[in-house]
Structure formats: C-alpha cells, structure tokens
Amino acid sequence: MPKAVPKACAPCVSTWIILPYAEHYALTNVWIQNEELLQEGAAVTSSMLFDDRYLLGTKFFGDWLRPQDLFYSLGGIVAKNGKLGVKMAALRSKHKGPYTHEDLAWYSRLLPHLKRACEMNQRLAGERLAFENHRAVNGAAQATSGLCILGLSASGRLIYANSRGESWLREGNCLTLRHGGLHALDAGKDALWQTALKSVLASRKPQHLNLGAGNGAGHCCLTLMPAPALEQPLLHEQQVALVVLIAASPQRRVATVRQLMELFGLTAAEARFARALAQGEAVDAYANAEGLKPSTVRSHLKAALEKTGVGSQKDLLRLVLSVPAVRDK
C-alpha cells in the first residue's frame, strides 16, 4: 500500500506516488482496459472507461485510489509517437462528485494546445540532440574522412549521410533505399545485411561485410559499426545508432588482416599477402622477406583469387584497396 505524501515535500511526489504507480499499480488500472476510447486528442472521464459501481471492488481502487482519497479521473492522451505517449489526467475524491460534461468539454478544448506544446518541445529538443548526434558521428569518422558515411537508426532507416555517402547512394551501388530503410540490392545479401544490423546493435562490435558486386564497381565491401552513444538519447527513429563506412575510391590506407579474413574468408597468411600486394610489394620480394618458398606464396595468391572471385593479381590489388580501411579497437 502506498504511503501518504508529506505535504511539505512537493518534490517527493515523483518518489512516493509516480514511481510506485509506474512500477506496480499501473498493471491493475481498470481505466486503461477500454483502449478503443483512449485515442490521441480524445478527452475521457473514468466513468466512461469503467463502471463506477464496480470500481470499489477492484484491486486498483483498494490498493491505489482509496489510500489517497481518489475516485474520479478526467484526462486523455495528449500526443503519441509509436510506443511513446504523453498523457495528462486530473483526479479527485468521491465526495466531490464525478466530472461533468462541462469539465469534459473544457479539457477537450485544452488537449490540442497541449499537443502543440509537446510537438514544439520535442522538435526543439530533437534538433539540438540530432545536431550533437551527427557531430559525434562525424567526430568518430574523422580518421576515415575519405569514406562514404551513412547513419542509420536502430531499425535501419537512413537518417544521415555525408556528401560522399549521398553521391554513392545515387549511383545505385549494392545498397538502396526502400521506404526510408537501407537494403541490399541482392535479396540473398539483404538477409545478411539485416542480420548484421541486429548483431552490431546487440554486440556493440563492428562487422565487415561483403555484399557482392556493386553497379559495375566490383565488390561492395563495407564496415558496419555502432555510433557513439548520447547521454540523452533521442527517440528511436531520430538517433543515429549505426554507422556504415564505404570506400568510394582506392585509399592510401590498407584494410586490416582481420577485415580481409571476415570479408572474403581468407586465412591469416593469405590476408597478410593480399595486404602486402596492396602496399606495392612484389610476390618474390614478399617471399624473401617472409622466409617463404615462392610456391607457397603462389598458393596464397591462387587461393586469394578464388575466394575473392577476381581474375588477376591486378584485380585483387584493386579490390583490397576498395575496402574501407578501419582499424578495430
């Protein structure tokens, strides 16, 4: 049973009333059973939601309302956004009588103004936090400023792109926009892409993906990583939760051994050899430097060509240079 609220301690209201209600008593609230009446912008009384004659016999009344000398309620859902909502309600004791039609009409006139106030507050707060979110994403990507950078919400919707990223999407490469969400052009690869989105969100660890051939541009290799977290999170669909890094053109930095292993299934030895080629080292020179037989290095080359699906050493070099060079933390 909730304790009485100290009259001299207004800040205690959230501790003594709101929190216990949210944590336990909301589950017994008989006034929220008729969900069809609880529509955004519609004012209702508790008498409309549940028969007053049966309220006295409910657990909600006995455990929550009666200790606070409350019986009638007037309110409504001011604004709703997905699973989030703003609700305002007034409550009073039984001896003051039920809320009247005049009370209901007054509250109905008030609701639209409250909704506009909520929308203005959300928009102003959202613009500030979105700026901080995008600045954090750009800050995290400073070391890879030559890359295409795309920012996705937790559900995979595109909500940010740098200039290179916008150009890359317009070219119609291996990723495309459908209903605001980012999807792989190839249906089979899209399943891999969607799985990776969920995995990176859950593990908070980057993944390197090979989504197949782009639009005449060879393999489509990218890195998917979690975005820096905000101290004050935005709503689910407004915050950049995932960052996609894509190399728009060959870069000076070369992908890590781990990236090449994850993208193409190379062994560590094959990946080290592929990196060496991309850094300008000749096959014979690499064999001498590593103390390997030329036949062993040629085997690495053959395996790398087969696993990456390219036809020549030159194509392999070009492919490795097209991978976004991101150092794993």
Side-chain angles (χ1 to χ4, degrees):
M1 183 177 295
K3 301 178 181 179
V5 180
K7 294 183 179 179
C9 185
C12 293
V13 170
S14 63
T15 301
W16 290 82
I17 294 181
I18 305 300
L19 290 181
Y21 173 80
E23 293 173 357
H24 175 69
Y25 297 104
L27 301 177
T28 65
N29 189 348
V30 294
W31 291 336
I32 61 175
Q33 293 179 358
N34 293 321
E35 293 185 357
E36 67 277 4
L37 296 177
L38 296 173
Q39 300 297 318
E40 182 184 73
V44 294
T45 66
S46 56
S47 303
M48 297 166 59
L49 298 173
F50 191 83
D51 195 322
D52 293 335
R53 294 173 299 173
Y54 304 115
L55 184 63
L56 294 173
T58 65
K59 183 176 178 64
F60 180 64
F61 174 78
D63 290 352
W64 178 251
L65 294 175
R66 183 168 60 185
Q68 299 172 86
D69 189 27
L70 299 174
F71 190 87
Y72 296 107
S73 176
L74 168 67
I77 296 177
V78 177
K80 197 171 183 180
N81 185 348
K83 295 182 179 180
L84 299 178
V86 177
K87 183 179 180 181
M88 184 173 179
L91 294 94
R92 66 188 185 192
S93 63
K94 189 175 183 180
H95 74 269
K96 290 191 176 182
Y99 287 98
T100 65
H101 290 294
E102 289 76 14
D103 296 328
L104 192 64
W106 175 85
Y107 200 86
S108 296
R109 293 194 297 271
L110 178 63
L111 280 176
H113 300 288
L114 294 175
K115 181 179 180 180
R116 281 194 292 273
C118 288
E119 290 173 344
M120 289 179 62
N121 181 67
Q122 182 182 10
R123 185 161 56 248
L124 291 172
E127 289 175 355
R128 178 179 62 82
L129 289 175
F131 171 76
E132 294 178 1
N133 186 217
H134 293 172
R135 183 174 60 181
V137 170
N138 274 326
Q142 283 180 355
T144 54
S145 58
L147 299 176
C148 302
I149 303 173
L150 308 176
L152 310 180
S153 71
S155 67
R157 293 182 65 84
L158 179 69
I159 54 179
Y160 172 82
N162 67 351
S163 58
R164 289 178 180 268
E166 291 176 351
S167 298
W168 188 85
L169 283 174
R170 283 196 296 268
E171 291 171 2
N173 289 284
C174 57
L175 291 175
T176 186
L177 280 173
R178 289 204 300 268
H179 307 296
L182 207 57
H183 295 267
L185 286 172
D186 181 87
K189 295 292 185 179
D190 191 51
L192 174 66
W193 167 252
Q194 299 302 329
T195 299
L197 292 179
K198 296 176 183 177
S199 176
V200 173
L201 275 176
S203 67
R204 302 294 299 172
K205 295 180 180 179
Q207 282 195 20
H208 309 297
L209 299 176
N210 176 11
L211 296 183
N215 185 17
H219 287 260
C220 177
C221 304
L222 55 87
T223 294
L224 182 63
M225 59 189 293
L230 285 176
E231 292 183 2
Q232 295 177 293
L234 291 162
L235 293 178
H236 179 78
E237 285 303 306
Q238 294 179 337
Q239 180 174 342
V240 174
L242 296 164
V243 176
V244 185
L245 302 178
I246 309 157
S249 59
Q251 307 198 342
R252 293 180 180 178
R253 293 179 62 193
V254 180
T256 65
V257 168
R258 178 180 172 184
Q259 281 183 283
L260 297 177
M261 291 172 67
E262 291 183 0
L263 286 168
F264 307 113
L266 301 181
T267 65
E270 292 162 358
R272 285 194 296 270
F273 170 67
R275 289 192 79 244
L277 284 181
Q279 291 171 323
E281 196 159 354
V283 174
D284 291 340
Y286 177 79
N288 290 331
E290 296 295 319
L292 299 174
K293 294 180 180 179
S295 59
T296 300
V297 177
R298 285 195 292 272
S299 295
H300 291 339
L301 175 60
K302 181 180 178 181
L305 293 177
E306 291 177 351
K307 292 179 180 180
T308 56
V310 298
S312 67
Q313 181 176 322
K314 183 178 180 180
D315 290 337
L316 176 62
L317 186 149
R318 186 182 298 112
L319 173 61
V320 172
L321 288 175
S322 74
V323 175
V326 180
R327 296 295 183 260
D328 299 308
K329 295 182 180 180

